[in-house]
Amino acid sequence: MPTVTEALTLMDYGPAPESTDHALAWLKGRALGHFINGAFTKPAETFATISPATGQELAQVAQGTDADVEAAVKAARKAAPAWAKLSGNQRARYLYALARLMQKRERLFAVLESLDNGKPIRESRDIDVPLAVRHFYHHAGWAELLADEFPGHRPHGVCGQIIPWNFPLLMLSWKIAPALAAGNTVVLKPAEQTPLTALLFAELCIEAGLPKGVVNIVTGDGRTGAALVASDVDKIAFTGSTDIGRTIRKATAGTSKALTLELGGKSPFIVFAEADLDAAVEGVVDAIWFNQGEVCCAGSRILVQESVAEHFTNRLKTRMKTLRVGDPLDKSTDIGAIVDNTQLQRIRSLVDQAVAQGAVLHQTHAPNGPGSFCAPGLLTDLGAANIAMTEEIFGPIVTLMTFRTPSEAIELANNTRYGLAASIWSENITTALDIAASVKAGVVWINGTNIFDANAPFGGMRESGFGREGAREGMLAYLTRDEVKGADRKPVAPPSALPGEATGDAIDRTRKLYIGGAQKRADSGYSYAVAGAQVPLGNRKDIRNAVEAADKAGKWSAVTGHNRAQVLYFLAENLNARAATFAALVGDKETQAAIARAFYWAAWADKYDGRVHATQGAHVTLAMKEPFGVMGVICPEEAPLLGFVSTILPAIAMGNRVVAVPSQANPIPALDLAQVLDTSDMPGGVVNIVTGPRADLADTLAKHDGVAALWAFADPAICQNARAQSAGNLKPVWAESAMRDWSGAAGQSREFLRHAVQVKTIWVPYGA
């Protein structure tokens, strides 16, 4: 007879199957059409949705056509005015009803999700569905408070929403709940691999009595998604791969559509020597083997301090062997099925390439038989350039590298084009928070991972996209303001370097560019004539030099808001001392407005605070507003002094460094302001001024990977091109072709502050 210790060692899980009877009864004999204008359509062309665990067909689902998308958008457009006119309380009641109905059918949603997606029933039952319910409850509250908390805002109108296959129901709730709360109507396209819970949700919309056309769901493949992007919607919200996000950015560039993108990631999981190693090992389980590793924010790059690396790795290998891979509907399964064979083959291909490049694979075994199963794996002995370190595998495969010092950990963590999430493990809170401030990631978990809540902003930096979902920040993504009502700006002809008419001044007044705190000649050696002077004809090399100077001025982003305010107040003081000089250039009214504007943005430098969000217990969830870093600003052609001050000062007040392109026709006030900057303790490189052809310089800034964000107050062609060219590194672009009233409230809107920062959400253990 075995001892107790031996019995515990030999003990194994017995089968614990979840019944699929109700879900299969819902599916039986059905060909599922689109949900348009409050009813299901009769499907024409269909495709099969397949269970990834068995390879068996679950249902036939309609393939959306251009006409289907058009009908859905038309229904949403018709419903939009009445839905937007409802009181916040009326919309809140509908959202509350959806939350309650989903809560009553949690088990049906969970089973259907696991059948369609392949994720373990424990995860769909205990994580996905409760979080989806939470989002509808949370946003019912925002609908109620909308008028009080977001004065001056209105809904976009019709929102096109495209969601991925890894969290079908949860992503639906992330998209639909805030859109409806804000007063928008929606057309949602679920992933073709996992449309079932979205169509079940459509039945809840009928049951809740939601007005026809408020929610529309069109199923189909990428062609359907492309049709939705091209359709007459007012906003696109996309969650998916970075490559498709880049395509959508280009496709929407020439339109007025608002855009938010939540894209891929290659998130670091950083383990310091003083960490609780057992807890960190369990953290890896949650970071990369949760949902089969099919998580955009999965901690797929383990970075462990060298002194504990061997001990940690051995523990991790031992834990990995205990993970159960198999039937998603068995409650004892840890890792279910990969969503389809295409994704499974992609995972295998990337792992094979990683091994060919020198990595060593440690992997358990997946079950034999049908289904797209992938055993958990660990890749070691690989370099920073290995494909497994740079490319998103999107499967249960994790890499492991070592580091010696915190600075090396930061360098390795940020050695990626992505910036979605990071997980930091240390019992030293000083170390943990120091690293949290330094990693380039939209979400940071300290001694935890993959923690989510409807009241915690979620989204990325860099090529992980822009915009936030959840909390107040997520609501703002579905609202807009009507503060810009002017006519579109007219294009400005490129300046000529050839001799022309007299400048009106017999004395040579050739100005220079302002780069790195110093006067610089243009790389081209050319200048062009404006009233009263010759100004440099800047080109892409000058932009390159300016971006390098701005990058070197990184300490500006680290100084306190109070210190930045002091510099801006000093700037306003010195500008006031030279008011007569500038009044001779632009008039006294614009000069006095520019001085007042400098004081205004100085006042905001230490007051645009982050937030502490009420989320899950035992955590403090911080939403920190961080500067982008290096920003490009195409300043307005009108109001050459006031427009310049009104655009660069809010950016630098928030800690950014700017490369500014001033008015092409009258850049003299901006270039003369450089002298004021020199006498105002402004560090070199914080403000850089490059004059010349606006269209060419804007194009270079939009393409430059070293520019993290771009503002363009220019004609429609420049704005369109800026959006399109920004797809390279997916920088957020705030582009306005309509003229603002720079002397009024629109010239000092809080929108400038909102577009000057990105939110980093930091989860800190508290009171656990």
Side-chain angles (χ1 to χ4, degrees), residues 388-702:
M389 290 293 292
T390 60
E391 297 302 315
E392 187 178 29
I393 297 175
F394 222 64
I397 309 295
V398 67
T399 65
L400 187 147
M401 285 185 67
T402 63
F403 65 89
R404 292 182 178 179
T405 64
S407 60
E408 185 183 3
I410 294 168
E411 185 177 355
L412 289 170
N414 291 336
N415 184 31
T416 174
R417 66 182 185 274
Y418 297 110
L420 187 53
S423 183
I424 301 165
W425 294 79
S426 172
E427 293 299 289
N428 186 323
I429 191 64
T430 302
T431 297
L433 291 176
D434 183 55
I435 302 299
S438 300
V439 293
K440 301 293 185 183
V443 181
V444 179
W445 296 288
I446 294 175
N447 293 335
T449 191
N450 280 338
I451 309 169
F452 309 103
D453 189 80
N455 199 31
F458 185 89
M461 301 177 180
R462 296 173 160 183
E463 292 188 30
S464 291
F466 49 81
R468 293 293 180 267
E469 295 185 293
R472 178 182 297 269
E473 293 80 359
M475 282 295 294
L476 283 168
Y478 284 95
L479 295 165
T480 187
R481 297 169 67 99
D482 291 323
E483 61 184 17
V484 181
K485 301 178 181 179
D488 275 352
R489 297 179 174 90
K490 303 296 183 183
V492 181
S496 172
L498 300 178
E501 297 179 0
T503 63
D505 193 336
I507 300 175
D508 181 16
R509 294 283 311 279
T510 302
R511 300 301 206 281
K512 294 180 181 178
L513 306 177
Y514 186 66
I515 297 175
Q519 306 276 332
K520 300 287 185 180
R521 295 185 184 277
D523 173 81
S524 68
Y526 288 98
S527 61
Y528 69 98
V530 297
Q534 291 281 325
V535 295
L537 196 66
N539 62 21
R540 62 181 181 85
K541 290 186 178 179
D542 297 308
I543 292 290
R544 178 199 65 192
N545 294 337
V547 171
E548 289 179 357
D551 186 60
K552 291 177 182 177
K555 290 182 179 179
W556 178 254
S557 299
V559 304
T560 66
H562 170 72
N563 287 344
R564 290 196 295 269
Q566 293 300 298
V567 173
L568 294 185
Y569 280 128
F570 197 14
L571 171 66
E573 180 184 331
N574 288 331
L575 182 57
N576 185 61
R578 295 190 56 184
T581 301
F582 284 95
L585 296 172
V586 298
D588 185 64
K589 182 178 179 181
E590 182 174 338
T591 300
Q592 292 302 319
I595 295 168
R597 194 62 44 81
F599 276 107
Y600 181 82
W601 292 123
W604 268 113
D606 60 353
K607 297 176 184 66
Y608 194 55
D609 301 324
R611 289 179 176 270
V612 177
H613 287 283
T615 56
Q616 297 189 18
H619 286 91
V620 167
T621 307
L622 308 174
M624 306 297 292
K625 293 175 178 175
E626 295 190 348
F628 285 100
V630 178
M631 289 181 58
V633 181
I634 312 301
C635 302
E637 192 66 28
E638 70 274 12
L641 176 62
L642 180 58
F644 183 83
V645 168
S646 297
T647 51
I648 68 161
L649 293 192
I652 66 175
M654 294 297 100
N656 298 286
R657 297 90 69 194
V658 301
V659 177
V661 177
S663 166
Q664 179 182 301
N666 188 10
I668 300 302
L671 292 174
D672 281 3
L673 190 66
Q675 300 172 25
V676 180
L677 295 171
D678 282 340
T679 60
S680 302
D681 293 338
M682 185 70 69
V686 173
V687 177
N688 305 272
I689 305 171
V690 180
T691 58
R694 290 169 66 78
D696 292 346
L697 298 178
D699 180 78
T700 302
L701 283 168

Side-chain angles (χ1 to χ4, degrees), residues 75-396:
R77 182 69 64 193
K78 183 178 180 181
W83 180 253
K85 287 181 181 177
L86 292 180
S87 69
N89 174 261
Q90 289 172 307
R91 285 199 300 273
R93 289 177 180 231
Y94 284 113
L95 286 162
Y96 176 80
L98 289 169
R100 287 291 293 127
L101 289 170
M102 188 182 294
Q103 198 168 33
K104 291 175 182 178
R105 292 165 179 79
E106 281 187 328
R107 190 56 63 96
L108 177 59
F109 272 104
V111 173
L112 196 61
E113 194 81 303
S114 289
L115 282 171
D116 205 20
N117 169 274
K119 66 176 64 193
I121 185 64
R122 285 190 294 120
E123 294 177 3
S124 56
R125 180 196 66 197
D126 299 341
I127 299 173
D128 292 27
V129 178
L131 270 174
V133 172
R134 159 79 170 131
H135 271 268
F136 279 97
Y137 276 128
H138 178 76
H139 287 95
W142 278 126
E144 190 81 48
L145 303 174
L146 190 70
D148 293 334
E149 291 298 311
F150 301 98
H153 290 77
R154 66 166 178 82
H156 286 286
V158 179
C159 297
Q161 302 175 322
I162 303 172
I163 59 175
W165 43 256
N166 57 338
F167 291 95
L169 182 66
L170 185 56
M171 291 298 99
L172 175 150
S173 70
W174 282 25
K175 296 286 190 290
I176 289 182
L180 298 191
N184 300 281
T185 56
V186 304
V187 178
L188 178 103
K189 192 203 89 68
E192 64 265 33
Q193 296 92 337
T194 54
L196 297 183
T197 48
L199 295 172
L200 177 59
F201 174 79
E203 293 192 352
L204 298 193
C205 293
I206 296 173
E207 194 173 357
L210 199 67
K212 293 180 179 180
V214 171
V215 170
N216 305 271
I217 298 173
V218 181
T219 55
D221 57 19
R223 294 170 293 172
T224 311
L228 182 55
V229 170
S231 69
D232 181 32
V233 296
D234 303 298
K235 173 186 168 63
I236 292 290
F238 172 77
T239 297
S241 74
T242 294
D243 288 342
I244 300 301
R246 189 172 283 116
T247 299
I248 292 174
R249 169 73 282 181
K250 292 177 181 177
T252 58
T255 73
S256 59
K257 295 182 177 92
L259 178 65
T260 49
L261 300 173
E262 196 267 281
L263 308 176
K266 197 68 183 172
S267 302
F269 186 100
I270 309 170
V271 182
F272 285 90
E274 69 276 8
D276 180 337
L277 296 186
D278 287 330
V281 166
E282 289 306 310
V284 172
V285 175
D286 292 337
I288 189 64
W289 295 317
F290 165 63
N291 204 52
Q292 300 77 248
E294 297 169 327
V295 185
C296 53
C297 55
S300 56
R301 291 185 298 141
I302 300 173
L303 305 174
V304 59
Q305 199 152 21
E306 193 173 86
S307 60
V308 296
E310 183 178 0
H311 189 42
F312 179 83
T313 304
N314 289 336
R315 290 190 185 191
L316 185 60
K317 290 177 184 177
T318 300
R319 180 66 176 93
M320 185 171 68
K321 292 176 183 177
T322 68
L323 296 173
R324 294 170 57 88
V325 183
D327 181 7
L329 275 302
D330 190 318
K331 301 181 189 71
S332 61
T333 293
D334 297 305
I335 299 176
I338 301 301
V339 73
D340 62 17
N341 191 60
T342 300
Q343 178 62 16
L344 179 61
Q345 295 309 316
R346 181 181 181 276
I347 294 168
R348 289 174 175 170
S349 174
L350 287 169
V351 171
D352 288 344
Q353 292 177 65
V355 171
Q357 293 173 8
V360 176
L361 175 64
H362 312 269
Q363 192 171 28
T364 61
H365 298 285
N368 296 320
S372 302
F373 293 98
C374 180
L378 169 67
L379 288 165
T380 61
D381 302 279
L382 69 178
N386 189 289
I387 192 169
M389 290 293 292
T390 60
E391 297 302 315
E392 187 178 29
I393 297 175
F394 222 64

Side-chain angles (χ1 to χ4, degrees), residues 747-762:
Q748 57 184 37
S749 163
R750 286 201 190 188
E751 288 297 290
F752 289 94
L753 298 174
R754 188 165 76 86
H755 287 285
V757 297
Q758 51 192 342
V759 173
K760 176 185 283 185
T761 303
I762 304 173

